[in-house]
Amino acid sequence: MHVPDGFLDIPTSVGTAVVATGAVGLALRQARRELDDRTAPLAGLVATFVFAAQLVNFPIGAGTSGHLLGGTLAAVLVGPWTATLCLTVVLGVQALLFADGGLTALGTNVTLMGVVGVWVGYGLFRMVAAVASRVAGRTRAVAVGAGLGAVGSVVGSALAFVGLYAAGGATPVPLATLAAAMAGVHGLIGLAEGLITALVVSSILAVRPDLVHGARRYAAPAPDIVVATR
Amino acid sequence: MTWPRGPGRRLWLAGLGACLIVAGVLSRFASEAPDGLERVAQDQGIAGHAVERTGLLSAADPAGVLLGVGIVLVSASLLAWSLGRRGTSPEG
């Protein structure tokens, strides 16, 4: 998903750089509410996990691969504002040191993965988890919400790229075809993203539910009460 | 940031271990195939516009990967720590 230099023209890249700068500036202020002595170490770890996971491309068939984007995972674990900052650190290191994603495209990549990916995923997570928590326990509701949020976030980022390409793409292509291709491929990648996200979130919920930002609003499951009926 | 202590320390260490396994071991089995965007760009005739660059570090080099993991861990932790500290105490 890392956009290289040259795919988008300069005005569009400047536009996404402005959006990314604004979002990161806002996140720097808002993330303070999400971070304290207990959650700050987890935030560093989440960024590191996203960086590590983005090294692992998995095949999705037809000679194509994908990797975790991680925006939804980060948002559910440490909160959406902190997630934007985590993704920005990862994308910055990748662009500056590994030439993964362009330099003029850094604002584009932060916008696509650190803003759209995070917030689409977090928004869907909140909606799905709110509904699911009425019929399922906390762990399941949060894991299912995170998983479905992650699926949507990858498709959302892919379609956001199509929108940017429509505004300032390098060469004209049929936009409906581009949108269908991007949504199709990233729907498949999104399924894997959803599975990984749900798996990681539920394994942390199993040991330290108090550290999962997205689980805090839901009541802890009642302790099992064994009732002797006979 | 107090260095993760107590029950949180175990989770932190387990998480770091998971990061190292993913970055150091799983990444060796990573697919070489183009990713979703690269594939679509090839199919749609956009790929030729990509400006190729060479990075200071390479994800194909284990030392580069380890350095990258360390840089992300330290910079994200310092950022989160400084914001978290300011969040829990009055300004100034």
Side-chain angles (χ1 to χ4, degrees):
Chain A
M1 173 69 83
H2 294 61
V3 179
D5 290 327
F7 275 18
L8 297 176
D9 63 15
I10 294 300
T12 309
S13 301
V14 170
T16 56
V18 169
V19 169
T21 307
V24 170
L26 198 58
L28 282 169
R29 286 198 282 172
Q30 301 293 330
R32 288 180 197 178
R33 286 193 228 152
E34 296 168 348
L35 291 164
D36 57 32
D37 281 0
R38 286 182 326 132
T39 55
L42 189 62
L45 206 52
V46 163
T48 310
F49 185 79
V50 170
F51 178 80
Q54 290 199 355
L55 295 167
V56 186
N57 279 60
F58 44 79
I60 57 161
T64 309
S65 72
H67 60 68
L68 189 81
L69 298 188
T72 310
L73 176 66
V76 172
L77 291 180
V78 291
W81 297 108
T82 306
T84 292
L85 298 180
C86 286
L87 268 286
T88 301
V89 169
V90 170
L91 293 164
V93 168
Q94 288 169 334
L96 296 175
L97 297 179
F98 289 86
D100 191 9
L103 285 177
T104 62
L106 181 54
T108 300
N109 285 317
V110 169
T111 301
L112 291 177
M113 289 178 266
V115 181
V116 175
V118 164
W119 286 96
V120 168
Y122 188 71
L124 282 171
F125 158 73
R126 288 286 300 273
M127 285 193 272
V128 174
V131 174
S133 66
R134 290 184 202 155
V135 293
R138 178 175 69 175
T139 303
R140 270 189 203 167
V142 171
V144 166
L148 291 179
V151 176
S153 77
V154 178
V155 177
S157 294
L159 291 178
F161 171 79
V162 177
L164 294 176
Y165 198 86
T171 182
V173 299
L175 289 175
T177 316
L178 181 65
M182 283 297 283
V185 172
H186 289 90
L188 283 175
I189 296 172
L191 290 179
E193 174 108 9
L195 269 176
I196 298 167
T197 301
L199 216 76
V200 173
V201 166
S202 43
S203 45
I204 297 180
L205 275 174
V207 287
R208 287 299 299 270
D210 56 310
L211 287 181
V212 177
H213 182 276
R216 274 180 214 151
R217 66 185 56 247
Y218 303 107
D224 289 332
I225 300 170
V226 180
V227 180
T229 54
R230 279 186 291 174
Chain B
M1 175 174 69
T2 47
W3 179 258
R5 289 198 184 94
R9 184 189 177 118
R10 290 218 323 252
L11 177 69
W12 193 88
L13 288 173
L16 184 62
C19 290
L20 290 173
I21 289 170
V22 171
V25 182
L26 286 189
S27 69
R28 291 175 186 228
F29 301 97
S31 167
E32 302 278 335
D35 76 10
L37 176 64
E38 288 166 346
R39 179 51 183 247
V40 171
Q42 285 172 10
D43 292 349
Q44 304 293 317
I46 304 168
H49 292 269
V51 178
E52 294 298 331
R53 299 192 297 133
T54 313
L56 289 171
L57 299 175
S58 165
D61 168 23
V65 167
L66 195 63
L67 206 55
V69 166
I71 291 168
V72 171
L73 179 65
V74 169
S75 47
S77 298
L78 281 177
L79 178 64
W81 170 71
S82 65
L83 292 174
R85 198 178 51 159
R86 280 194 281 177
T88 49
S89 67
E91 295 285 330

